Amino acid sequence: MSYRDLRNFTEMMRALGYPRLISLDNFRTPNFTLVAEILVWLVKRYEPHTDIPTDVDTEADRVVFIKAVAQFMTMKANIKVNTRRLYQADGCAVREMLKITSVLYLAMNTKDVATGGQVEQDSKFTFDLGSKMRGYGYHIADLKASRQLASEITFTGALLCDLLGKEVGLREMRTATITRPLDINGTTQALCAAVREVQEQTLKTNGMLKNVASDITSLEAKIENKTQDLKRNWNRLQTLESMRPAFMDEYKMIEAELQKQYSAYAEKFRNLCFLEQQLEDNDQLEQEHPLLPCNQ
């Protein structure tokens, strides 16, 4: 097994719509459970109603399962797989499953091409399995479209059956309605009531529109007033910023003197703190070494 084969296999399975995420490390060791699950899913992609034994608990069950899958692929898709490699459930099995996924992936990506000037009808779906189907003449062009069409036909048929089942009661109601004489007075009253209701709705809508117009006018007036206030405040701010107070020179002088006084105060405070510390150190030293009295 090469890294390229494993990468192509995982990408094709993801494109085909496999619900489980396949990692590149899943097949480094034998993993028969995952291989069996993938094979069952691929078989169901070819034939949804195929009955394949899914019991793989024992060796005999696994052998029967691998033989059934190989026989199905040979008969239905003309794809020959190596049963021994599939049974190994490792990278060699990936190479065999890649044969199946390649055909399905090619069929999904193949588009209808008009050959020889002949236009195919919308209800006709050609199937082309490529070179693998040369002997049987099968052609798979779009499995996805055919499956969708089959589901739509089934749903439409079920809906039509339900509607036809209700036809008996609907026929009686329809006949009774057609044969009943037309009440001119009742019809006139209903039409007049409908006209009055429409007129009331029209008046209400016109009133709402008038209210909207008045609201717009009031909002525009408020916006204009706020704009004028903003302009006045801005002009006032500009004027205040451009004016120089009369006491500004005196303020500068006092601020410079205050700075000098603060510097002197800070220096004296540091000296005082230093002297107090020296005094405390001397007192502590005298307590530790008291002076002895002199001998007479």
Side-chain angles (χ1 to χ4, degrees):
M1 176 197 68
S2 64
Y3 175 80
R4 183 177 181 181
D5 293 339
L6 185 56
R7 184 193 60 187
N8 293 337
F9 177 73
T10 55
E11 293 295 333
M12 289 181 184
M13 291 296 292
R14 187 182 298 111
L16 291 173
Y18 186 64
R20 178 177 173 181
L21 182 62
I22 301 176
S23 175
L24 299 177
D25 297 331
N26 289 134
F27 299 99
R28 296 190 183 278
T29 58
N31 191 353
F32 196 87
T33 304
L34 179 59
V35 171
E37 182 181 348
I38 294 174
L39 288 175
V40 171
W41 187 82
L42 291 174
V43 169
K44 295 296 184 182
R45 289 281 294 182
Y46 271 99
E47 186 64 38
H49 302 290
T50 301
D51 187 11
I52 295 292
T54 58
D55 190 6
V56 293
D57 295 335
T58 62
E59 294 182 1
D61 294 335
R62 294 181 179 182
V63 171
V64 172
F65 172 75
I66 293 297
K67 287 184 178 180
V69 172
Q71 185 178 4
F72 173 84
M73 288 299 169
T74 302
M75 295 178 61
K76 298 293 184 179
N78 194 26
I79 300 176
K80 185 177 180 181
V81 294
N82 192 323
T83 55
R84 290 185 178 180
R85 292 181 179 177
L86 286 178
Y87 189 82
Q88 291 178 8
D90 54 4
C92 296
V94 172
R95 191 171 296 175
E96 297 301 319
M97 291 187 293
L98 188 60
K99 299 177 182 179
I100 306 172
T101 55
S102 299
V103 176
L104 289 174
Y105 185 76
L106 179 62
M108 185 183 68
N109 292 333
T110 303
K111 297 181 180 179
D112 296 334
V113 179
T115 58
Q118 181 180 0
V119 180
E120 299 179 354
Q121 299 178 355
D122 294 338
S123 60
K124 182 179 180 181
F125 294 92
T126 60
F127 298 89
D128 186 8
L129 280 180
S131 60
K132 300 289 184 180
M133 298 298 183
R134 290 195 302 269
Y136 293 91
Y138 293 133
H139 297 283
I140 297 178
D142 200 349
L143 290 175
K144 185 177 180 180
S146 62
R147 184 169 297 175
Q148 182 179 359
L149 179 61
S151 62
E152 290 178 359
I153 291 173
T154 304
F155 177 76
T156 306
L159 181 61
L160 181 61
C161 182
D162 294 338
L163 294 176
L164 290 176
K166 299 177 182 179
E167 175 61 22
V168 178
L170 294 175
R171 186 187 299 115
E172 295 178 358
M173 296 174 61
R174 186 169 59 251
T175 303
T177 303
I178 293 174
T179 56
R180 185 178 62 186
L182 183 62
D183 189 4
I184 302 299
N185 295 327
T187 305
T188 303
Q189 292 177 0
L191 290 175
C192 291
V195 170
R196 285 195 299 270
E197 184 177 359
V198 172
Q199 289 176 352
E200 292 176 357
Q201 292 290 338
T202 304
L203 293 175
K204 187 183 295 185
T205 304
N206 291 331
M208 293 174 64
L209 291 175
K210 290 180 181 179
N211 293 332
V212 170
S214 62
D215 293 341
I216 291 174
T217 304
S218 62
L219 288 174
E220 289 179 351
K222 290 180 180 180
I223 292 171
E224 183 66 24
N225 293 332
K226 294 294 183 181
T227 304
Q228 293 178 0
D229 293 340
L230 179 61
K231 289 181 179 179
R232 286 195 298 270
N233 292 329
W234 178 256
N235 294 330
R236 184 179 178 185
L237 177 62
Q238 295 293 330
T239 303
L240 291 174
E241 289 180 350
S242 61
M243 291 177 60
R244 180 179 179 84
F247 54 83
M248 183 59 69
D249 295 335
E250 184 180 0
Y251 171 77
K252 294 290 185 181
M253 294 174 60
I254 294 174
E255 186 178 11
E257 185 65 25
L258 179 61
Q259 185 67 30
K260 293 179 181 179
Q261 295 295 333
Y262 177 76
S263 299
Y265 165 75
E267 184 179 358
K268 292 178 180 180
F269 182 77
R270 287 195 301 270
N271 294 334
L272 179 62
C273 291
F274 176 74
L275 293 175
E276 288 179 352
Q277 183 66 33
Q278 291 292 328
L279 181 60
E280 290 179 0
D281 294 340
N282 292 331
D283 293 339
Q284 185 177 1
L285 185 61
E286 289 178 356
Q287 291 177 2
E288 292 177 357
H289 304 284
L291 294 177
L292 296 176
C294 297
N295 294 327
Q296 295 180 356

